[in-house]
């Protein structure tokens, strides 16, 4: 029984993605919230997202995030499902 349980836990762990992002509205959230919600986005990148938003207005598409310095295609794709507008 214990071996079956351990095998089930191991298979579930392998099925889960290597990252966990929390849905966040990047047009409304502050930098701290963005940094905590998105994988690979720390305080400085979150500050850059907020600064871009303040300078250019709200993001119209998720792909617009790639215009923020430090946000590359891999980071964007990893978080795409968690980014709300």
């Amino acid at each position: 029984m214990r071996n079956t349980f351990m095998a089930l836990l191991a298979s579930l762990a392998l099925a889960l993605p290597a990252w966990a992002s929390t849905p966040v509205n990047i047009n409304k959230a502050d930098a701290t919230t963005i940094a905590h919600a998105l994988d690979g986005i720390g305080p400085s990148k979150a500050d850059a997202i907020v600064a871009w938003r303040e300078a250019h207005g709200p993001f119209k598409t998720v792909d617009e995030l790639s215009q923020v310095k430090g946000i590359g295609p891999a980071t964007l794709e990893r978080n795409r499902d968690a980014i709300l507008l």
Side-chain angles (χ1 to χ4, degrees):
M1 177 79 168
R2 184 166 195 256
N3 288 340
T4 303
F5 181 72
M6 296 303 286
L8 177 62
L9 284 178
S11 65
L12 285 174
L14 292 174
L16 296 174
W19 57 87
S21 301
T22 303
V24 63
N25 186 320
I26 59 168
N27 286 325
K28 295 181 180 179
D30 61 19
T32 301
T33 302
I34 293 170
H36 283 98
L38 300 179
D39 183 56
I41 304 293
S44 62
K45 285 184 188 176
D47 285 338
I49 290 169
V50 172
W52 191 97
R53 180 180 76 201
E54 290 172 351
H56 302 281
F59 291 93
K60 293 173 188 71
T61 67
V62 172
D63 292 322
E64 251 185 326
L65 265 176
S66 65
Q67 296 180 24
V68 176
K69 183 177 180 180
I71 308 292
T75 300
L76 194 58
E77 288 308 314
R78 198 167 51 237
N79 291 289
R80 185 174 292 278
D81 292 338
I83 298 169
L84 306 175
L85 302 173

